[in-house]
Amino acid sequence: MAKPLTDQEKRRQISIRGIVGVENVAELKKGFNRHLHFTLVKDRNVATPRDYFFALAHTVRDHLVGRWIRTQQYYYEKCPKLGLDMEELEEIEEDAGLGNGGLGRLAACFLDSMATLGLAAYGYGIRYEYGIFNQKIRDGWQIEEADDWLRHGNPWEKARPEFMLPVHFYGRVEHTEAGTKWTDTQVVLALPYDTPVPGYLNNTVNTMRLWSARAPNDFNLRDFNVGDYIQAVLDRNLAENISRVLYPNDNFFEGKELRLKQEYFVVAATLQDVIRRFKASKFDSSNSTKTAFDAFPDQVAIQLNDTHPSLAIPELMRIFVDIEKLPWSKAWEITQKTFAYTNHTVLPEALERWPVELVEKLLPRHLQIIYEINQKHLDKIAALFPKDVDRLRRMSLIEEEGGKRINMAHLCIVGSHAVNGVAKIHSDIVKTQVFKDFSELEPDKFQNKTNGITPRRWLLLCNPGLAELIAEKIGEDYVKDLSQLTKLNSFLGDDIFLREISNVKQENKLKFSQFLEKEYKVKINPSSMFDVQVKRIHEYKRQLLNCLHVVTMYNRIKKDPKKLFVPRTVIIGGKAAPGYYMAKLIIKLITSVAEVVNNDPVVGSKLKLIFLENYRVSLAEKVIPATDLSEQISTAGTEASGTGNMKFMLNGALTIGTMDGANVEMAEEAGEENLFIFGMRIEDVAALDKKGYEAKEYYEALPELKLAIDQIDKGFFSPKQPDLFKDLVNMLFYHDRFKVFADYEAYVKCQKVSQLYMNPKAWNIMVLKNIAASGKFSSDRTIKEYARDIWNMEPSDIKISLSSDPSGGANKANGK
């Protein structure tokens, strides 16, 4: 007799049916057994967990394929238990680490929302053979290991060799009577792999198309004698290296030729694909005064996700002018109407500036086009601001100082009809500081689109207990309309509901405690406050400030062991870019402090510090639901938005943070009194910059800060290497752009968090207020704004009918 399903297992099956589009789990079981039979013809008993995972994944993919094909056609026209542990199978699946920091994860949320909203949208990128590196911590230091995520294959993707496309590099430019030609190029083939992106309960399956580089069969062979045949074949790797590995830099620009190749590779293949699809669609070219491409912006909208795909602008111009023979003015008009640009960072070192010499070597025709774009742009500026040479210099696409470089952000602004930041405060900085000249010239071009997260992954999937509790109170429609969470405010006086929310959190904490004890051999107190900061390691994100507070708490316990102390488990995690020395040193400091704190018998269970190794999406799904306190402590004016802050808020964590990025809007939604806000505001940072930041003044004035820094400086946490952290201390005193010391006192005082944690009812009321206020931060809302304000598209609640659907027509997404 089958064992009854638990409530969590029932919820998981409901979630699977919603995404996969099957009415009952029995349908999945049939497909599962069929795939398993083909995998293990002889003996089912030899099946490994990975065999089961692939059988299940292929079964789910089979069910998506029909909806996937039907979705694409529609655009052109208009879990079984089986005695297995589902969580064990989930662990087998590799994270597709194809992005850096939060930007790639944001794109994934957007793809989910576009499918759920029924938008005819495609996601394009590179199918990196090796994604973001796997991080190992050895002797407290970060070690990078290759992320060979494809070593067992990827059951979700489908290779599409019939759509393989050529991408050209190098060569020379010829100007003839027939037009301009880019000749004598080296060709690399772009092989697409498609992954289905299912919407939630609407039968829509959109496409994510990732390009893999392949050498053509005749690659280099014509350049070699017979005796060099082996070398010629080996040199194919030079072409295929383009999609070999992801550059693991976040918020830092590295001007390598291979990286430029990658950026052009993805846009060149993608634009060919887009134009092929456009020509195959029904567009109106009956009016003889219009070209076929006049309808292009009505059919196509391309969002440039930061400057990495900025070469799409000169590439589309090249296609229009050189290949389709459009006049320059017409080509430029269509190009501007097609593109929009999202800026994701204000850090100067993150903005891309490619050397002219490198672009000329790799993409000679594109450099000519960029120069012509720039000349026409500067002519316009000169006409509006005669004799203002400095303005011309500031607004030019070509920077002259320190060698000629192309400012890719300027190219994106000039070549797009809309520019947006990703939080209100960030968009204001973009308009009033970073791109002030451009904003003054075209104020209507600049917008804000505050980031969001998908509640399907970041609540239903990762925290089913909380998702079910919410559904019991307000119904299940909130999953597709997160603004309905405001209804939870009517339950602030419901003591039973508050306890249930607390119980779900405690279950998540207990489960995560067991994970931590198993992985890190540190005894965790599951009743302690889980204080978490997980994100890329960077000076501006100020993991150092967090670490200094841990040292301060440690010193307080040591000074008065008998004093009441609210137990804390501090968890810090994230990857440092391999070449980022200071970030790696910060990791070493955190692990060194942890070594002392976690092994001090006087401290005991009052304080623990864990550095979470190899932080990634699958680990985020474990730690976020278990978090009590979310650390969002970047220097005001440096974090564009953040999305981790939103994930923690939705999952019932309280935020301690600065007025930076989306924290500002979170405080607006929940009420500033329901977050722990501290530290300098943007205007305070500006005033301090003007006055001059002197770190030593804070060091001398604050005894607890002085003690912590002295301990770090003199080797208390590194007795075998007393000088280990000299460079870090020197940076804090003399080169700290992010002013850690200036916010230390306010940060420590804000730790009144501990007092609130001792009052469970008051804490849980604040938790519920935050959950109820998190509806704005759905990626569905973000995408609706992009669609309405930038793409000129309308979301659809049509449920695309399947061939087996007896209704035979498209229904509303609710199935009625």
Side-chain angles (χ1 to χ4, degrees), residues 247 249 253-262 354-355 358 362:
Y247 275 87
N249 286 321
F253 169 62
E254 190 172 22
K256 301 288 180 89
E257 181 174 344
L258 178 57
R259 179 61 184 165
L260 184 59
K261 276 188 176 180
Q262 290 177 338
W354 286 105
L358 177 57
L362 194 70

Side-chain angles (χ1 to χ4, degrees), residues 716-728:
F716 180 83
F717 297 105
S718 54
K720 293 180 180 178
Q721 295 176 272
D723 294 336
L724 182 59
F725 300 115
K726 291 287 185 186
D727 288 346
L728 191 151

Side-chain angles (χ1 to χ4, degrees), residues 597-612:
V597 170
N598 296 344
N599 292 292
D600 193 321
V602 174
V603 174
S605 63
K606 292 179 181 177
L607 180 64
K608 297 294 180 187
L609 174 59
I610 302 287
F611 185 84
L612 207 56

Side-chain angles (χ1 to χ4, degrees), residues 277-324:
R277 191 178 291 113
F278 170 74
K279 287 183 173 180
S281 67
K282 301 171 182 176
F283 56 88
D284 181 19
S285 59
S286 57
N287 188 333
S288 60
T289 64
K290 296 174 67 176
T291 70
F293 284 101
D294 278 305
F296 193 77
D298 300 327
Q299 299 282 330
V300 177
I302 301 176
Q303 194 71 33
L304 301 173
N305 198 22
D306 221 342
T307 57
H308 310 123
S310 56
L311 286 168
I313 293 170
E315 172 65 2
L316 188 59
M317 285 296 291
R318 186 187 70 84
I319 293 169
F320 283 159
V321 173
D322 293 358
I323 299 173
E324 301 294 341

Side-chain angles (χ1 to χ4, degrees), residues 535-547:
K535 51 186 77 236
R536 288 300 289 267
I537 307 297
H538 198 292
E539 288 166 80
Y540 90 85
K541 294 179 184 287
R542 297 203 297 191
Q543 286 91 354
L544 273 174
L545 184 58
N546 192 350
C547 189

Side-chain angles (χ1 to χ4, degrees), residues 357-368:
E357 187 179 11
L358 177 57
V359 177
E360 185 174 34
K361 170 187 170 188
L362 194 70
L363 304 166
R365 177 58 179 144
H366 297 76
L367 180 64
Q368 292 178 352

Side-chain angles (χ1 to χ4, degrees), residues 94 291 326 453 472 615 661 748 768:
E94 300 278 353
T291 70
L326 268 62
I453 58 171
E472 287 172 1
Y615 182 63
V748 172
L768 185 53

